[in-house]
Amino acid sequence: MLFAALISLYLLIDFFEKIDNFLEKGKSAGLILKFFVLNIPFIVEQMSPVCVLLAGVVTLGVLNHTNELIALKSCGIPLRKITAPIIAAGMVSILIFLALSQWVLPRTVAVTNEIWNKEVQGRVSLGIYRNGRYYYRGKDGFYSFIRPDPRRDIFYFFSYATWNKDYEMESIIAARGAGWDSKQWRLIQGQEQTKTGPVQYNTELYRFKWMHFPETPESFFVPAYRSMELSLIELYQETRHQNSPEEKNRAWAEFFGRISYTTLGLPLLLLGLPLLLMVYRRWGRDLSLAVPVSCGMAFFCWGVWATLQSLAKASYINPLFAAIIVHVVVGIAGLALLIREDL
């Protein structure tokens, strides 16, 4: 019921935000319906921790509101046995979400990205991402580089190659680093090789060089939620194919971050259940106050988790530590409070 309500609310807001874009491009109702239906697995992925928490809190709150919880405890049934089915259901739900993230989410996100970016926005990715490098086909040549942050115009191990109609390389420009200053490219520490004969090439070494390529960084379009197009296994494989420590660290952060976000609902549930009982005992109100308190706690934990993930991707902290520390702290606190409530 919670998933149905939250998905409906999310879809309603998303529909009114994007429907004008579809109508301006004259897209069919079938394509619009396909986009929003295939967007549901992504919504489930985003809402899963909060839904697991609220489902457990509401279930225990209903038992408490109807005095069934008191009746069960008066019969000698400890709280740990009463909450065990709720926690077990949360664990089963998380396993389902992990399966969804492995087999369903990558396919649906790939389709929705293509519909939104290509059919609606008219933006087409010019290349591919393989083994930690981007490969793009431009107007006159081919680009290859490492771009740690798609939001910044900083490139590493940059190369640009041009070919003639006989598929023979005419020139190749390589640089250890490259940047964009809004008008032209600035290359750092590299070389330029230009064909001067059938098998002869002229090589020029440079420390700094300004170049005018046909493409700009805006041409190197990367779809939003690109990492969501990869399954958990593919994210793990990405960690094995990175060369630089920064890229490897970022790949591990993406892998651990996806798993930790999906499993975040379990520690939140462990803390939310005793919070409900504490709120009821202190203020005599269960769901009317426990639900807002649980949501506030969930968003606070999500904020801490997101901050840690950003630090991990920037190589300030270990990705595994960033992925598990919130789970450990919140989970231990929840278990301790549950044990105390059971005494």
Side-chain angles (χ1 to χ4, degrees):
M1 291 174 61
L2 285 167
F3 259 123
L6 292 177
I7 289 173
S8 300
L9 183 61
Y10 191 109
L11 284 175
L12 186 64
I13 296 173
D14 202 33
F15 176 81
F16 283 109
E17 283 184 351
K18 296 179 177 178
I19 186 61
D20 289 339
N21 301 90
F22 281 97
L23 296 178
E24 286 175 2
K25 297 294 182 178
K27 299 305 175 182
S28 65
L31 184 68
I32 298 174
L33 180 63
K34 179 180 179 181
F35 174 81
F36 287 106
V37 169
L38 292 181
N39 204 34
I40 291 177
F42 174 75
I43 301 173
V44 171
E45 173 85 6
Q46 298 299 303
M47 297 290 186
S48 59
V50 175
C51 281
V52 169
L53 166 65
L54 291 182
V57 168
V58 169
T59 301
L60 189 62
V62 170
L63 290 175
N64 187 54
H65 184 74
T66 57
N67 296 321
E68 293 175 89
L69 181 61
I70 297 176
L72 290 170
K73 295 178 71 174
S74 65
C75 293
I77 302 177
L79 182 63
R80 62 179 180 275
K81 287 190 176 182
I82 299 173
T83 57
I86 300 176
I87 297 172
M91 296 176 67
V92 171
S93 299
I94 288 173
L95 292 177
I96 295 174
F97 297 145
L98 289 172
L100 187 77
S101 185
Q102 169 63 30
W103 288 293
V104 179
L105 187 66
R107 293 175 173 82
T108 56
V109 170
V111 175
T112 54
N113 274 342
E114 182 178 4
I115 292 175
W116 178 252
N117 296 318
K118 183 178 179 180
E119 301 290 340
V120 180
Q121 299 291 327
R123 305 178 66 185
V124 181
S125 179
L126 298 177
I128 59 175
Y129 178 81
R130 291 290 185 275
N131 300 331
R133 292 185 66 86
Y134 292 92
Y135 300 90
Y136 282 90
R137 179 180 178 180
K139 179 181 179 182
D140 301 321
F142 296 86
Y143 299 85
S144 174
F145 51 80
I146 293 175
R147 192 179 189 181
D149 189 350
R151 297 168 296 183
R152 302 177 61 191
D153 298 333
I154 298 177
F155 307 83
Y156 298 103
F157 303 104
F158 181 93
S159 69
Y160 176 73
T162 59
W163 306 73
N164 59 25
K165 61 181 180 180
D166 297 323
Y167 301 103
E168 298 175 341
M169 183 178 293
E170 290 187 335
S171 67
I172 181 169
I173 302 172
R176 183 177 295 273
W180 174 256
D181 69 347
S182 75
K183 292 184 178 179
Q184 57 185 339
W185 290 88
R186 185 187 185 212
L187 306 182
I188 303 173
Q189 294 184 357
Q191 66 177 9
E192 178 178 1
Q193 292 181 309
T194 307
K195 188 175 183 179
T196 58
V199 292
Q200 291 82 29
Y201 286 86
N202 178 52
T203 301
E204 174 193 353
L205 301 179
Y206 59 84
R207 186 175 180 183
F208 299 101
K209 191 179 185 68
W210 295 96
M211 293 293 299
H212 291 277
F213 296 125
E215 283 72 32
T216 67
E218 292 183 355
S219 305
F220 306 139
F221 168 62
V222 179
Y225 310 116
R226 194 206 69 84
S227 65
M228 290 289 187
E229 296 184 11
L230 303 178
S231 66
L232 295 175
I233 293 177
E234 289 171 332
L235 282 175
Y236 175 75
Q237 291 173 345
E238 287 287 316
T239 65
R240 320 305 297 177
H241 298 143
Q242 307 301 324
N243 297 320
S244 66
E246 294 80 9
E247 285 293 308
K248 185 179 288 292
N249 193 82
R250 188 178 183 87
W252 278 114
E254 291 280 359
F255 173 68
F256 288 133
R258 174 84 73 82
I259 296 177
S260 67
Y261 183 81
T262 305
T263 58
L264 187 59
L266 183 59
L268 292 179
L269 177 63
L270 292 175
L271 184 57
L273 295 178
L275 277 181
L276 166 73
L277 301 177
M278 293 168 62
V279 167
Y280 179 77
R281 187 172 59 252
R282 184 176 181 85
W283 289 286
R285 301 166 64 187
D286 37 33
L287 291 179
S288 60
L289 190 58
V291 169
V293 169
S294 299
C295 288
M297 180 265 294
F299 284 113
F300 174 77
C301 293
W302 177 84
V304 174
W305 176 88
T307 302
L308 292 173
Q309 290 302 304
S310 298
L311 293 174
K313 291 177 181 178
S315 301
Y316 288 110
I317 59 177
N318 182 273
L320 181 59
F321 173 82
I324 67 173
I325 186 61
V326 174
H327 296 62
V328 172
V329 172
V330 175
I332 291 177
L335 287 174
L337 291 176
L338 273 176
I339 293 173
R340 193 184 75 169
E341 290 292 325
D342 206 16
L343 296 178

